[in-house]
């Protein structure tokens, strides 16, 4: 049974009729369900009783002024995943969501940031808050009264401050009078809260036994990943049935979840065939291995050393995997399924020889090692335009190896791999080998088109790509869909910094992303070369 993310939800009328003892009991039971071994303090109970008294008194006055308000909704202790916090109360009116935080005495800067953060989280991740105005309100014993003004271009207003005695006045001011219509607060309660998981959170959840649909992804992202996973499962089925070698090429826009899809495949199929996730990103591999090791130890018991050994079989550095595979040229690898993240960044022959003295490119070496085992499946995760270092061979090196050395491998790929319509225009088979494109079985579900990082709009990636290509018309068309995503182009760094800081609300941070070759930033005190990690 799915645990509800709140302690109590009711209409305002039902809330006003409920006894204080019942309300405190509901809150206590919910807290106990969240932390069965935690201790509920008397101070917590007193704080609940005080805030419930304040809220009840205010809502009685609101209903007296606007009788229709009895049909609005109240939600108590709504959980904000990953932030580890819970909103004290949410008032759900037809045209406004009010986020309420209660403080016994002080309405300090921390309390204001907290209320604003919660409102921003609802705006970004709650399905029923995408277009509805949200008013954060801090009610504290000594607060100076002020009503937060709307923010141009944003649905979250500035934070309102009020004493308990003036709370009803604040609520009547932040909720427009024309909201005197019926509302289905139940629809809001049933709405989904879907924050985008970080890759570390995703890995932890996956290897704890959860699938992508349980990770809090947006509907489009979860469905898309599920379709991609189904295609890859079918590829494994084909390899098993035919005792064959299958290479799958998965593409996607930046932030679409290619790494998550790869981790999910390893997790989902590891029980059927031995599988591993390979990456040349050393820091990412180290972090994922350590996170998984601690989770495995906590879940399965045993020593941390044993857990670390197991974690290293699930997530592996690609160079070490190839090293191990080349040590005994006749022995098949342990894994039948290998997922290679950022496969377009595999080294060409020259770089491989310079680094390790090998006479073949990494794609050729990997296919050679996997060819020793039947069945075997390679899942290559390809991000367009991300071959950023010398010797990173791009997609065509895989096609050259498949065409010249491994003609028996079956190939599944997204259409962009064959047509070369990835952002950098590369294709799997270069012009001199284009006849091999007939070997490819194309499947649109092997392309991840919805960015998870740009959670407010999938058109952000389209706009960025158009700008980088110098396609003003394309950027203009994409911008038509970005009314809720603030973007500005500037040639003055001070102007850009001021613009970003002005929009950094709550405790959200700002930063600068620059090209590693941006030497023109030096006069501004930014030496990118020093900051670059190699």
């Amino acid at each position: 049974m799915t645990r509800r993310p709140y302690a109590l939800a009711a209409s305002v009328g039902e809330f006003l009729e409920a006894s204080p003892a019942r309300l405190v009991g509901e809150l206590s039971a919910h807290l106990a369900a969240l932390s069965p071994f935690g201790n509920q303090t008397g101070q917590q109970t007193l704080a609940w009783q005080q805030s419930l008294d304040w809220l009840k008194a205010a809502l009685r006055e609101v209903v007296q002024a606007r009788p229709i308000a009895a049909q609005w909704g109240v939600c108590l202790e709504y959980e904000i995943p990953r932030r580890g916090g819970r909103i004290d109360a949410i008032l759900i009116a037809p045209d406004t969501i009010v986020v309420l935080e209660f403080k016994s005495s002080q309405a300090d800067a921390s309390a204001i940031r907290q209320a604003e953060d919660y409102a921003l989280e609802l705006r970004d991740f709650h399905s029923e808050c995408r277009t509805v105005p949200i008013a954060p309100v801090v009610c504290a014993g000594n607060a100076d009264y002020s009503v937060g003004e709307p923010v141009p271009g944003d649905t979250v207003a500035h934070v309102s401050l009020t004493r308990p005695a003036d709370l009803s006045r604040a609520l009547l001011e932040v909720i427009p009078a024309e909201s005197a219509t019926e509302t289905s607060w139940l629809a809001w309660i049933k709405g989904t809260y879907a924050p985008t998981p970080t890759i570390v959170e995703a890995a932890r959840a996956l290897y704890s036994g959860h699938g992508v649909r349980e990770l809090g992804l947006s509907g489009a992202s979860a469905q898309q990943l599920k379709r991609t996973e189904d295609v890859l499962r079918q590829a494994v089925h084909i390899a098993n049935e035919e005792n064959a070698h299958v290479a799958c090429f998965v593409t996607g826009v930046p932030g679409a979840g290619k790494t998550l899809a790869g981790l999910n495949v390893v997790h989902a199929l590891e029980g059927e065939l031995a599988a591993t996730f390979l990456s040349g990103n050393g820091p990412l591999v180290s972090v994922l291995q350590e996170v998984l090791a601690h989770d495995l130890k906590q879940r399965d018991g045993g020593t941390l050393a044993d857990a670390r050994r197991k974690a290293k079989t699930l997530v592996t550095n690609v160079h070490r995997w190839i090293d191990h595979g080349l040590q005994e040229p006749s022995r098949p690898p342990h894994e039948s399924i290998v997922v290679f993240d950022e496969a377009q960044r595999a080294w060409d022959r020259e770089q491989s020889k310079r680094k390790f003295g090998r006479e073949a490119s990494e794609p050729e070496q990997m296919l050679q090692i996997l060819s020793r085992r039947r069945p075997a499946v390679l899942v290559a995760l390809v991000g367009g335009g991300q071959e950023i270092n010398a010797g990173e061979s791009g997609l065509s090196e895989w096609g050259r190896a498949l065409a010249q050395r491994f003609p028996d491998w079956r190939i599944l790929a997204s259409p962009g791999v064959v047509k070369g319509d990835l952002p950098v225009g590369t294709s799997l088979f270069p012009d001199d080998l284009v006849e091999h494109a007939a070997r490819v079985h194309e499947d649109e579900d092997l392309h991840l088109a919805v960015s998870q990082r740009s959670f407010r709009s999938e058109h952000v990636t389209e706009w960025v790509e158009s700008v980088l290509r110098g396609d003003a018309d394309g950027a203009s068309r994409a911008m038509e869909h970005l009314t809720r995503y603030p973007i500005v182009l500037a040639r003055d760094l001070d102007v850009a910094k001021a613009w970003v800081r002005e929009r950094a609300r709550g405790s959200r941070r700002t930063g600068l992303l620059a090209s590693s070759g941006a030497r023109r930033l030096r006069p501004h005190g930014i030496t990118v070369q020093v900051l670059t990690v190699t």
Side-chain angles (χ1 to χ4, degrees), residues 6 69 91 98 104 118 165 188 191 216 218 267 298 308 337 339 449 455 463 469 478 496:
Y6 55 86
L91 182 60
V98 181
S104 59
Y118 286 158
W188 192 95
S218 66
H267 160 72
Q298 184 176 2
R308 282 175 172 150
I337 303 171
V339 178
F455 47 81
W463 181 85
R469 288 196 305 265

Side-chain angles (χ1 to χ4, degrees), residues 105-116:
S105 57
Q106 292 185 338
D108 56 16
S110 174
I112 294 171
R113 282 196 302 271
Q114 181 184 38
E116 190 168 46

Side-chain angles (χ1 to χ4, degrees), residues 114-175:
Q114 181 184 38
E116 190 168 46
D117 277 336
Y118 286 158
L120 294 170
E121 291 282 321
L122 292 180
R123 178 199 67 185
D124 290 336
F125 301 120
H126 195 286
S127 62
E128 302 301 308
C129 288
R130 302 274 163 77
T131 59
V132 180
I134 303 173
V137 176
V138 174
C139 180
N142 66 351
D144 293 327
Y145 186 84
S146 66
V147 173
E149 294 293 326
V151 176
D154 200 337
T155 55
V156 176
H158 288 297
V159 177
S160 298
L161 301 176
T162 180
R163 293 185 178 89
D166 295 321
L167 178 56
S168 61
R169 173 186 164 195
L171 294 176
L172 289 169
E173 287 199 48
V174 299
I175 301 174

Side-chain angles (χ1 to χ4, degrees), residues 479-523:
M479 184 60 77
E480 293 175 2
H481 302 281
L482 299 179
T483 55
R484 296 184 61 241
Y485 199 98
I487 292 177
V488 66
L489 284 174
R491 290 192 176 275
D492 187 318
L493 186 59
D494 290 334
V495 170
K497 288 161 67 175
W499 186 87
V500 169
R501 286 170 176 158
E502 189 178 299
R503 284 157 180 78
R505 305 180 60 191
S507 59
R508 298 188 174 187
R509 305 294 297 275
T510 63
L512 174 69
L513 180 65
S515 166
S516 60
R519 292 180 175 85
R520 286 184 295 177
L521 291 176
R522 285 183 178 178

Side-chain angles (χ1 to χ4, degrees), residues 396-451:
S396 60
E397 195 71 32
W398 290 95
R400 194 170 296 281
L402 287 165
Q404 296 176 345
R405 293 289 311 278
F406 306 99
D408 63 318
W409 276 66
R410 299 186 59 167
I411 306 171
L412 280 68
S414 72
V417 165
V418 180
K419 297 181 177 67
D421 59 1
L422 296 172
V424 290
T426 58
S427 58
L428 183 61
F429 295 106
D431 292 343
D432 59 325
L433 298 170
V434 71
E435 68 273 12
H436 290 273
R439 293 170 53 187
V440 180
H441 173 75
E442 297 181 27
D443 195 312
E444 292 183 354
D445 287 333
L446 290 177
H447 179 67
L448 299 168
V450 179
S451 175

Side-chain angles (χ1 to χ4, degrees), residues 188-206:
W188 192 95
I189 294 297
K190 293 176 181 177
T192 56
Y193 184 90
T196 305
T198 67
I199 196 62
V200 173
E201 290 167 333
R204 178 183 284 121
L206 286 170

